[in-house]
């Protein structure tokens, strides 16, 4: 049965891999994010639909909700993938400005769509958040880790609230994932080697690793799995 899948931050990297995985099943996939050109290119590649919006803006989220309601009526899976470390990519200003920027990029872009779309979810629907190993281990002094960690209790509360409707709510916490824009050109070979050494699998993650986990969490086989934070980082959270 064809489902309606919404993936935020679906234009590149992990979000693109997730969107492509569902599209390969024949599902109707809508990807959203800030960059219209990137989204449209990905949508054409995977056979999905693109809708550009700043998901940290309540008015923009309301516009997306209206479009979803008009086009699909209901949705089956919401994947909150949008985010990134603003401080790593040129974030400036004082502490308040830097923390607020990462709050908008990582918390509001997940919470606002979830609250706006939750009544559109079908019974037995699925919500999956993409958080980070940094929520457990810290993020080198930036506000990124704390912002991702803020989503974990939200997952727990939301799972309790939506469970009676048959809706599950979980999160996936990746570690180092290559072929994404997260690090840009800031990751040195020495730092990459150190991060890989921390894994038990001896390799960096791929967007496909995360996509397969999300795909399973959205399947009927995971119907009794909710309020969980699934770490997909090769055991790196345990370190060596």
């Amino acid at each position: 049965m064809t489902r309606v899948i919404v993936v935020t931050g679906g234009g590149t990297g992990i979000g693109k891999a997730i969107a492509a995985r569902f599209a390969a099943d024949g599902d109707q996939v809508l990807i959203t994010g800030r960059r219209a050109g990137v989204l449209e290119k990905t949508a054409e590649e995977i056979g999905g639909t693109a809708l550009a919006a700043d998901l940290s803006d309540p008015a923009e989220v309301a516009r997306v909700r209206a479009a979803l309601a008009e086009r699909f009526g209901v949705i089956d899976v919401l994947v909150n993938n949008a985010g990134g470390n603003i401080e790593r990519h040129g974030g400036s200003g004082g502490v308040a400005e830097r923390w607020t920027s990462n709050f908008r990029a990582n918390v509001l872009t997940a919470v606002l769509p979830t609250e706006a779309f939750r009544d559109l979810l079908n019974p037995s629907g699925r919500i999956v958040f993409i958080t980070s190993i940094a929520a457990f281990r810290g993020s080198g002094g930036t506000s990124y880790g704390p912002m991702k960690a803020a989503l974990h209790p939200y997952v727990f509360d939301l799972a309790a609230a939506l469970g009676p409707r048959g809706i599950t709510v979980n999160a996936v916490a990746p570690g180092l994932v290559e072929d994404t824009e997260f690090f840009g050109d800031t990751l040195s070979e020495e730092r990459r080697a150190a991060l890989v050494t921390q894994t038990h699998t001896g390799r960096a993650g791929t967007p496909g690793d995360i996509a397969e986990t999300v795909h399973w969490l959205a399947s009927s086989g995971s119907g009794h799995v909710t309020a969980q934070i699934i770490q997909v980082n090769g055991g790196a959270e345990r370190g060596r």
Side-chain angles (χ1 to χ4, degrees):
M1 180 178 177
T2 299
R3 298 184 297 175
V4 176
I5 317 294
V6 178
V7 182
T8 72
T12 62
I14 291 173
K16 180 178 180 179
I18 292 169
R21 182 64 183 85
F22 284 106
D25 286 344
D27 290 326
Q28 298 182 77
V29 179
L30 181 138
I31 56 175
T32 185
R34 291 180 295 109
R35 296 177 294 177
V38 171
L39 289 171
E40 289 165 4
K41 180 180 178 182
T42 293
E44 183 176 357
E45 289 178 12
I46 69 172
T49 302
L51 181 57
D54 179 354
L55 298 177
S56 68
D57 182 337
E60 289 283 277
V61 173
R63 178 171 61 83
V64 175
R65 187 203 181 282
L68 286 169
E70 180 180 359
R71 177 159 186 166
F72 303 112
V74 296
I75 61 178
D76 297 286
V77 180
L78 170 61
V79 182
N80 289 300
N81 168 74
N85 190 347
I86 303 302
E87 292 189 63
R88 179 180 292 278
H89 295 287
S92 59
V95 172
E97 182 177 347
R98 296 197 309 273
W99 278 64
T100 299
S101 294
N102 260 344
F103 174 76
R104 291 178 62 84
N106 295 285
V107 179
L108 287 186
T109 58
V111 174
L112 292 182
T114 301
E115 293 300 316
F117 306 162
R118 59 191 283 179
D119 66 315
L120 296 178
L121 279 162
N122 263 327
S124 301
R126 303 286 189 262
I127 301 176
V128 183
F129 294 82
I130 305 301
T131 63
S132 174
I133 191 175
F136 297 91
R137 298 184 58 180
S139 50
T142 73
S143 59
Y144 175 74
M147 295 307 154
K148 287 299 190 182
L151 294 174
H152 291 178
Y154 180 54
V155 166
F156 306 149
D157 289 343
L158 199 62
L162 298 182
R165 288 175 53 192
I167 297 168
T168 67
V169 185
N170 295 286
V172 174
L176 171 63
V177 177
E178 296 187 314
D179 298 322
T180 75
E181 297 179 343
F182 183 81
F183 286 102
D185 58 1
T186 66
L187 185 66
S188 68
E189 283 301 317
E190 293 77 14
R191 179 58 177 158
R192 178 191 179 278
L195 291 174
V196 169
T197 297
Q198 292 172 3
T199 70
H200 300 329
T201 55
R203 68 172 179 86
T206 69
D209 291 326
I210 312 307
E212 288 296 336
T213 304
V214 172
H215 186 264
W216 176 73
L217 286 171
S219 73
S220 59
S222 68
H224 203 47
V225 178
T226 195
Q228 301 301 307
I229 313 299
I230 311 297
Q231 296 202 48
V232 185
N233 51 50
E237 187 269 334
R238 299 296 178 183
R240 286 205 175 193

